[in-house]
Amino acid sequence: MKIVYFCALEDIPLDKYPNHCKLLRELDTPNMPALDEYGSYVNAVFGKEMLMAIKDHIKMKLLCDIRASPFYSLLIDESTDRTIQKHLIIYALYVTNARKGPIRCVFIELLCVENGSAKCIFDIVNKFLQDNMLDICRLIAITTHGASVMVGHKTGVIARFQESMPHILGVHCIAHRQALAAKDGFVTHPHVYAFVDKVANKVYSWLGKSSKRHDELSKIMSDYDIGDMRALQIHSVRWLSRGQVMERLVNIMRAILMQWQRSEKKWYKNITFFLVQFMIHFLADVLKELYKLNMEFQRHEMDVTTIGAMIDLIVEKLRRRYIDVDAHNFGLNSPCLSSFLKMARDSMLSYEDANGNLHKHALRFESILWMQEIGSLEECICMAKIYVKNILESLDRRFEDLSMYNAFKIFSPSSYPSNITDRERMTHEWLNRIINRLNIDTHMIDIRKCMNEREDFVGMLCRVAEHKSMHDAWKACIDTKSWWDLYPKMMKVWQMALVIPASTSACERGFSRQNFIKSTSRSSLGLDTLDALMLLSIDARGIHHIDWEDVFDMWASAKKRRPMPLD
């Protein structure tokens, strides 16, 4: 069984299980079957049965923990695998250690989806809750990628749950929202950005068609003392991949210009348009900042109280660089763009190679084919400002629930105002906002008692967990019994706040694991096997944290077994 578990952790196909058994037998490992007969349980069929027993054991432990949690939330997302089979992935966020431990987000199950309708997904999730005996009254929130089928006001999945359980909160993944905001920037002047994308993708495709071109580029890059960097492709479904492509393109631009000047005259002409170069360097800077923010939103243990501060920081930075400046100071602190604008003052791009030789490329201030824009500096700055304004407006529109996440600062002493009067006023306002936003009623928590506990709770938390975040403060307080005795209602609200997920990035990582396991060479994996392999691989608790006697009993009781002598 431990061999099967090892194969699952290391993503080794179960077909290799008999070979592992044979190797251990040849190494004279104790208690290994002497023969490969049917009753020795060393073939792939029995390996799969052992895999299912291990999966059932781990899943049972996880479900027991979730049932013991006072509140929990679900993270759900849908996708297709390599064989175009539609799946729904389910994660759960809950309080561990019988209600008083740290927060944990775990993969629970991969389910088959007949179609992507809201009714189908609702029925699947509802059946999942019933089959696993999870109390829907304790379900606080469901986080999704924000598609209309999930968050539609009338017939969406969340709306269907809220018909019977109004307290359930629907959360749109913040990483996905931020990626959509970045995409909204391209609404104005889409033809310009489409042409820039075309040029960027041409670099990737042109190099990908010939090893000779790769060798030529590598030689030019060594002449310019550029590290080994490969061109990237803009991916239609990967969040903010365009920013990484543009940044990489800026880094290898001098080599691409040199190579295309020699052997690709048409595309050399296109890439030397001032408008194209301006936008490549501009997007490299703007999308790099948005990419960093998105990476923070995808962190495994995201502190939701910092979401507002991070968005405010990026808004302030973009305004300072691109909006609240005149044409002379536009992009002044923008690394790639400021360097480009300084170089382009003479309508020329000049690069010095490792030997000190200067290579110049004239910039072309002309309209591009069907475009009306001439591509002057003033015109480019105007388009860039509109792009940034579109992003800022979209961030403001898509993050309208920031007030809820900011209200969770009541459990984050690091966010408390230093002035006592301000602290009392803000924490009172935060608690009211939480109660209203989470639809907390008297059946869940006694609101009057909760309000009465607030003042002493905040004062004590400020002293015991000074300068700590919400999660760190929780870890500092959960082991002290007096907190639960003195402030039981506030501790319950704290538990609710902790299990509200802000992002479905865990689901995205789960689908990445799915595609890694169900590779092109293992595309015939069934759903049951794939689900089991994903659970063991993602959970990865280790051999020493599994009750192997319990696993053996589950495996042995699944059907009648025939004992086989070991020697």
Side-chain angles (χ1 to χ4, degrees), residues 232-420:
L232 301 177
Q233 183 181 26
I234 297 173
H235 201 288
S236 59
V237 297
R238 286 181 183 166
W239 296 341
L240 300 175
S241 65
R242 182 181 279 104
Q244 294 173 293
V245 173
M246 297 302 169
E247 187 178 4
R248 180 64 58 85
L249 190 53
V250 168
N251 292 332
I252 64 173
M253 181 61 72
R254 65 195 93 169
I256 292 295
L257 286 169
M258 178 66 72
Q259 189 174 23
W260 279 7
Q261 187 180 35
R262 295 174 182 173
S263 55
E264 189 61 46
K265 299 297 184 182
K266 175 187 173 183
W267 285 100
Y268 176 74
K269 176 182 176 181
N270 289 334
I271 204 171
T272 51
F273 280 115
F274 178 82
L275 172 62
V276 172
Q277 285 290 332
F278 180 95
M279 286 302 171
I280 288 174
H281 288 78
F282 168 70
L283 291 174
D285 285 331
V286 174
L287 294 178
K288 182 179 180 180
E289 296 298 331
L290 295 175
Y291 179 78
K292 288 192 294 185
L293 178 62
N294 203 272
M295 288 298 101
E296 287 297 317
F297 285 172
Q298 294 182 50
R299 287 174 68 91
H300 180 64
E301 195 174 273
M302 172 72 190
D303 184 356
V304 296
T305 63
T306 63
I307 295 173
M310 287 191 284
I311 292 178
D312 288 344
L313 176 62
I314 194 71
V315 168
E316 178 188 337
K317 187 179 289 187
L318 293 180
R319 282 192 174 280
R320 188 174 64 250
R321 288 182 179 179
Y322 309 110
I323 301 297
D324 301 331
V325 290
D326 55 24
H328 295 290
N329 295 313
F330 183 84
L332 189 62
N333 296 316
S334 185
C336 296
L337 183 60
S338 60
S339 176
F340 164 75
L341 291 175
K342 184 178 180 180
M343 194 188 309
R345 286 172 183 169
D346 299 325
S347 303
M348 195 80 64
L349 291 178
S350 303
Y351 299 103
E352 187 176 311
D353 62 24
N355 298 320
N357 299 318
L358 194 63
H359 302 271
K360 295 186 177 182
H361 306 274
L363 291 170
R364 305 173 63 237
F365 293 84
E366 306 172 17
S367 60
I368 303 173
L369 299 178
W370 65 91
M371 297 186 193
Q372 297 178 351
E373 293 83 358
I374 299 175
S376 64
L377 176 60
E378 293 74 16
E379 209 166 25
C380 290
I381 290 176
C382 181
M383 285 188 284
K385 284 194 173 189
I386 292 173
Y387 172 80
V388 173
K389 286 179 181 178
N390 288 343
I391 291 177
L392 298 183
E393 289 172 3
S394 183
L395 285 173
D396 187 56
R397 184 175 67 254
R398 293 184 182 278
F399 285 87
E400 58 183 10
D401 58 349
L402 272 182
S403 59
M404 180 188 70
Y405 293 119
N406 287 334
F408 292 154
K409 290 178 180 179
I410 192 173
F411 304 111
S412 176
S414 61
S415 304
Y416 287 173
S418 56
N419 182 275
I420 297 177

Side-chain angles (χ1 to χ4, degrees), residues 106-173:
V106 297
F107 167 77
I108 301 296
E109 196 167 352
L110 186 72
L111 299 166
C112 183
V113 180
E114 292 182 6
N115 59 70
S117 68
K119 184 180 184 306
C120 178
I121 295 174
F122 169 77
D123 291 341
I124 290 172
V125 177
N126 204 28
K127 186 176 184 299
F128 163 82
L129 294 172
Q130 294 174 4
D131 291 347
N132 293 291
M133 295 180 288
L134 295 176
D135 187 358
I136 195 172
C137 294
R138 295 182 181 181
L139 177 59
I140 295 300
I142 300 177
T143 301
T144 69
H145 53 62
S148 58
V149 72
M150 294 289 188
V151 298
H153 293 298
K154 294 183 178 179
T155 59
V157 174
I158 306 298
R160 291 171 185 268
F161 274 105
Q162 291 174 338
E163 286 179 4
S164 57
M165 293 291 167
H167 71 273
I168 294 178
L169 181 69
V171 180
H172 184 180
C173 169

Side-chain angles (χ1 to χ4, degrees), residues 73-77 89-93 105-106 141-144 499 501-507:
S73 293
L74 296 181
L75 297 79
I76 61 176
D77 199 357
I89 196 168
I90 299 181
Y91 276 72
L93 185 67
C105 183
V106 297
I142 300 177
T143 301
T144 69
V499 299
S503 168
T504 58
S505 55
C507 296

Side-chain angles (χ1 to χ4, degrees), residues 317-536:
K317 187 179 289 187
L318 293 180
R319 282 192 174 280
R320 188 174 64 250
R321 288 182 179 179
Y322 309 110
I323 301 297
D324 301 331
V325 290
D326 55 24
H328 295 290
N329 295 313
F330 183 84
L332 189 62
N333 296 316
S334 185
C336 296
L337 183 60
S338 60
S339 176
F340 164 75
L341 291 175
K342 184 178 180 180
M343 194 188 309
R345 286 172 183 169
D346 299 325
S347 303
M348 195 80 64
L349 291 178
S350 303
Y351 299 103
E352 187 176 311
D353 62 24
N355 298 320
N357 299 318
L358 194 63
H359 302 271
K360 295 186 177 182
H361 306 274
L363 291 170
R364 305 173 63 237
F365 293 84
E366 306 172 17
S367 60
I368 303 173
L369 299 178
W370 65 91
M371 297 186 193
Q372 297 178 351
E373 293 83 358
I374 299 175
S376 64
L377 176 60
E378 293 74 16
E379 209 166 25
C380 290
I381 290 176
C382 181
M383 285 188 284
K385 284 194 173 189
I386 292 173
Y387 172 80
V388 173
K389 286 179 181 178
N390 288 343
I391 291 177
L392 298 183
E393 289 172 3
S394 183
L395 285 173
D396 187 56
R397 184 175 67 254
R398 293 184 182 278
F399 285 87
E400 58 183 10
D401 58 349
L402 272 182
S403 59
M404 180 188 70
Y405 293 119
N406 287 334
F408 292 154
K409 290 178 180 179
I410 192 173
F411 304 111
S412 176
S414 61
S415 304
Y416 287 173
S418 56
N419 182 275
I420 297 177
T421 304
D422 291 340
R423 187 176 70 203
E424 284 297 304
R425 178 179 56 82
M426 291 302 299
T427 54
H428 183 269
E429 180 183 326
W430 288 337
L431 183 56
N432 276 325
R433 201 183 301 166
I434 291 172
I435 291 171
N436 294 330
R437 188 68 178 83
L438 299 186
N439 295 322
I440 297 175
D441 56 31
T442 53
H443 298 289
M444 300 172 67
I445 296 174
D446 191 322
I447 297 175
R448 183 180 58 81
K449 290 183 178 180
C450 185
M451 298 298 289
N452 291 337
E453 291 175 3
R454 178 198 57 82
E455 182 178 355
D456 290 346
F457 171 84
V458 169
M460 193 65 179
L461 188 63
C462 183
R463 289 162 175 78
V464 172
E466 188 178 7
H467 305 309
K468 290 185 181 292
S469 66
M470 181 170 71
H471 287 275
D472 291 337
W474 172 258
K475 293 172 184 176
C477 299
I478 52 177
D479 293 329
T480 306
K481 187 175 181 296
S482 60
W483 283 92
W484 303 92
D485 294 336
L486 295 173
Y487 320 110
K489 308 306 176 186
M490 284 299 297
M491 294 298 282
K492 263 196 167 185
V493 177
W494 198 352
Q495 288 173 328
M496 294 176 67
L498 286 166
V499 299
I500 294 179
S503 168
T504 58
S505 55
C507 296
E508 299 295 338
R509 286 189 281 268
F511 280 128
S512 296
R513 175 53 54 180
Q514 168 197 266
N515 292 330
F516 186 82
I517 294 172
K518 192 170 183 176
S519 59
T520 52
S521 59
R522 302 172 72 187
S523 58
S524 60
L525 277 176
L527 179 61
D528 290 344
T529 307
L530 178 60
D531 175 49
L533 291 172
M534 285 180 63
L535 179 62
L536 270 59

Side-chain angles (χ1 to χ4, degrees), residues 13-186:
L14 285 178
D15 291 343
K16 303 295 182 183
Y17 165 65
N19 296 333
H20 280 75
C21 294
K22 183 179 179 181
L23 173 63
L24 292 175
R25 184 166 62 241
E26 291 176 354
L27 293 174
D28 297 324
T29 303
N31 300 328
M32 288 300 297
L35 301 172
D36 289 339
E37 294 184 10
Y38 180 79
S40 60
Y41 306 117
V42 294
N43 61 52
V45 175
F46 287 113
K48 182 177 178 180
E49 291 180 0
M50 294 176 190
L51 174 72
M52 294 303 169
I54 299 170
K55 182 207 81 169
D56 291 341
H57 167 77
I58 293 177
K59 186 176 178 181
M60 181 185 68
K61 294 291 185 183
L62 293 175
L63 290 172
C64 286
D65 288 345
I66 297 172
R67 293 184 196 119
S69 176
F71 307 106
Y72 69 95
S73 293
L74 296 181
L75 297 79
I76 61 176
D77 199 357
E78 55 180 330
S79 182
T80 53
D81 62 16
R82 295 182 184 276
T83 56
I84 321 300
Q85 293 181 359
K86 187 175 282 293
H87 293 147
L88 184 76
I89 196 168
I90 299 181
Y91 276 72
L93 185 67
Y94 64 98
V95 185
T96 61
N97 193 23
R99 310 181 178 203
K100 297 181 181 180
I103 310 306
R104 191 181 180 198
C105 183
V106 297
F107 167 77
I108 301 296
E109 196 167 352
L110 186 72
L111 299 166
C112 183
V113 180
E114 292 182 6
N115 59 70
S117 68
K119 184 180 184 306
C120 178
I121 295 174
F122 169 77
D123 291 341
I124 290 172
V125 177
N126 204 28
K127 186 176 184 299
F128 163 82
L129 294 172
Q130 294 174 4
D131 291 347
N132 293 291
M133 295 180 288
L134 295 176
D135 187 358
I136 195 172
C137 294
R138 295 182 181 181
L139 177 59
I140 295 300
I142 300 177
T143 301
T144 69
H145 53 62
S148 58
V149 72
M150 294 289 188
V151 298
H153 293 298
K154 294 183 178 179
T155 59
V157 174
I158 306 298
R160 291 171 185 268
F161 274 105
Q162 291 174 338
E163 286 179 4
S164 57
M165 293 291 167
H167 71 273
I168 294 178
L169 181 69
V171 180
H172 184 180
C173 169
I174 58 171
H176 191 260
R177 277 190 271 177
Q178 193 258 332
L180 290 175
K183 190 176 179 180
D184 288 341
F186 301 104

